[in-house]
């Protein structure tokens, strides 16, 4: 049986060329290319996720769409996508609680958000194989965690194993 998984993804490279607010910045060309790569590589490694928690910032929303929309024809399968304000500016503890509330009892959950908080958060999400965690999660970088059980409220992620860290430049 497949182990429960949580995938943490930092948004892809954003576009600084327009004078949009931080919240409204989209992706640049490299960002779109990175999403294509990560989409392909994740598809080889994980099942279609059951639930997505995505920052409402435009660059995170676009990262989600670019990585996952090609996986299925019917977009209504993405009903379990939640735009979570906490992922834009919330603390590490807020996000850990959000993950516990939303991913307990499901097979595969995905979080798409921002640094610096994601780079801090990933250290609290596993206790095995942590040496492969980056100190700084790169744009479109993606960490796959395996767990013995999806009872995250009680396990507090202590049974977590860092399965893999994938990032676009590995595949270029």
């Amino acid at each position: 049986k497949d182990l429960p998984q949580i995938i943490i993804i930092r948004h892809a490279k954003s576009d600084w060329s327009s004078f949009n607010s931080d919240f409204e910045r989209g992706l640049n060309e490299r960002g779109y290319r990175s999403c294509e790569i990560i989409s392909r590589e994740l598809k080889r490694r994980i099942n279609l996720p059951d639930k997505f928690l995505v920052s409402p910032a435009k660059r995170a929303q676009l990262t989600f769409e670019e990585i996952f929309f090609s996986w299925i024809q019917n977009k209504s399968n993405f009903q379990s996508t939640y735009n979570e304000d906490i992922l834009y500016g919330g603390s590490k503890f807020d996000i850990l609680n959000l993950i516990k509330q939303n991913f307990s009892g499901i097979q595969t959950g995905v979080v798409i958000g921002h640094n610096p908080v994601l780079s801090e958060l990933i250290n609290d999400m596993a206790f095995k194989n942590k040496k492969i965690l980056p100190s700084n999660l790169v744009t479109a970088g993606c960490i796959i965690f395996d767990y013995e059980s999806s009872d995250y409220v009680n396990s507090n992620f202590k049974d977590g194993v860092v399965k893999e860290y994938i990032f676009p430049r590995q595949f270029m």
Side-chain angles (χ1 to χ4, degrees):
K1 180 183 172 323
D2 290 342
L3 292 170
Q5 290 187 316
I6 295 175
I7 293 91
I8 304 288
I9 305 173
R10 183 179 170 198
H11 67 79
K13 201 88 180 138
S14 60
D15 183 6
W16 290 82
S17 66
S18 61
F19 292 100
N20 287 339
S21 69
D22 179 73
F23 192 81
E24 286 297 324
R25 267 205 327 272
L27 301 179
N28 67 14
E29 202 178 319
R30 187 174 133 207
Y32 283 105
R33 267 205 319 278
S34 297
C35 287
E36 249 177 83
I37 293 167
I38 293 300
S39 178
R40 181 190 73 218
E41 295 302 323
L42 269 183
K43 206 182 272 182
R44 293 175 175 163
R45 291 167 168 80
I46 68 168
N47 300 323
L48 179 69
D50 304 292
K51 206 168 195 183
F52 299 87
L53 301 173
V54 186
S55 158
K58 189 173 181 186
R59 59 193 181 276
Q61 294 285 319
L62 288 169
T63 299
F64 162 65
E65 291 173 13
E66 292 293 318
I67 292 175
F68 292 104
F69 272 17
S70 66
W71 289 34
I72 49 176
Q73 266 31 74
N74 182 358
K75 303 292 179 276
S76 67
N77 290 18
F78 287 112
Q79 281 157 338
S80 49
T81 303
Y82 299 90
N83 301 334
E84 291 289 349
D85 289 334
I86 285 172
L87 291 170
Y88 184 77
S91 75
K92 172 178 82 168
F93 301 104
D94 292 336
I95 297 173
L96 285 168
N97 281 329
L98 187 73
I99 290 170
K100 287 177 189 176
Q101 287 159 21
N102 281 280
F103 292 168
S104 290
I106 68 166
Q107 188 63 33
T108 307
V110 171
V111 174
I112 301 177
H114 307 267
N115 266 359
V117 72
L118 289 187
S119 290
E120 297 165 21
L121 174 90
I122 54 177
N123 284 294
D124 290 353
M125 292 201 52
F127 287 80
K128 291 192 193 104
N129 206 20
K130 283 175 74 158
K131 64 183 181 301
I132 69 171
L133 288 175
S135 54
N136 179 48
L137 183 57
V138 300
T139 48
C142 179
I143 297 171
I144 303 171
F145 295 96
D146 279 349
Y147 297 92
E148 290 300 314
S149 139
S150 61
D151 181 11
Y152 304 118
V153 175
N154 291 312
S155 73
N156 214 14
F157 309 108
K158 293 213 185 331
D159 58 348
V161 180
V162 184
K163 186 175 188 189
E164 199 173 3
Y165 171 37
I166 63 175
F167 53 93
R169 288 191 177 226
Q170 276 173 296
F171 308 100
M172 282 173 159

